[in-house]
Amino acid sequence: GGGYGDPLERDPALVRQDLVRCAVTVEGAFRHYGAVLRPDGSVDEEATRREREGRRQKRLNGVSLASKKAEAGQAVRQVAEYLEEARINGSQVLRCRACHHVLCQAGEDPRKSAARRERPLADAGPWLALPWQGESPHFMLVESICPSCGVLLDVEETLRDS
């Protein structure tokens, strides 16, 4: 399957372990995780950081990355891998856990205010759209991306419009 969480957040050392266990190829490590591995299999940390930063920028179509710090005294509760609920100025909001960008009021769907991007079904893994060489005529992936920092908030499989 597609795994859990934003692939660009996977620890490069764990990607290297996947390579050693033959769970991923060098090409797959780069394609799926943005991990740059040297010919000897070691991780090039700086190249990996640059590659992942570039991919986040690409998700945002060139919008600059913003970083926001948590405000002291805020009540915060994690509600998903990259989402948290916080009380700000007396209002309950959902925000990105990575950069604290407010996506919406608590109780609303944060995907509606996230950047959205359609991807081929095969991007979730090689077996999902095998009969169609990765381009399913019926399904696609829709990624929800934090519009501030580019972290992948959610991926859903959905029917294509007819």
Side-chain angles (χ1 to χ4, degrees):
Y4 177 77
D6 187 340
L8 299 181
E9 295 292 318
R10 183 159 172 79
D11 183 340
L14 295 176
V15 176
R16 183 189 179 289
Q17 285 180 4
D18 291 343
L19 177 72
V20 170
R21 290 193 305 255
C22 297
V24 69
T25 63
V26 171
E27 297 81 15
F30 181 76
R31 182 176 54 247
H32 298 296
Y33 301 103
V36 179
L37 303 176
R38 296 182 183 99
D40 68 356
S42 65
V43 176
D44 185 330
E45 296 285 344
E46 181 58 24
T48 296
R49 185 195 62 72
R50 285 192 314 268
E51 177 64 26
R52 289 175 170 187
E53 185 176 298
R55 289 186 187 195
R56 286 185 187 97
Q57 284 284 349
K58 189 174 180 181
R59 283 178 180 168
L60 296 170
N61 294 322
V63 174
S64 64
L65 299 180
S67 178
K68 299 179 178 91
K69 297 199 183 301
E71 298 169 22
Q74 288 182 341
V76 176
R77 179 177 68 93
Q78 182 177 347
V79 294
E81 184 70 16
Y82 300 104
L83 287 176
E84 63 188 15
E85 184 178 52
R87 179 172 294 282
I88 301 176
N89 299 325
S91 183
Q92 287 294 114
V93 298
L94 288 179
R95 67 184 187 184
C96 173
R97 291 189 66 225
C99 72
H100 300 150
H101 174 79
V102 174
L103 295 160
C104 62
Q105 295 295 311
E108 295 177 355
D109 186 348
R111 295 175 296 186
K112 291 182 178 177
S113 58
R116 307 272 286 178
R117 178 170 81 161
E118 293 180 1
R119 309 291 293 166
L121 188 60
D123 282 2
W127 304 108
L128 290 179
L130 199 57
W132 305 286
Q133 290 74 46
E135 293 292 335
S136 169
H138 307 291
F139 297 96
M140 66 182 168
L141 298 174
V142 178
E143 297 176 334
S144 296
I145 301 161
C146 174
S148 179
C149 71
V151 75
L152 188 60
L153 299 170
D154 182 59
V155 179
E156 58 188 307
E157 179 182 340
T158 185
L159 283 170
R160 290 186 182 274
D161 292 331
S162 299

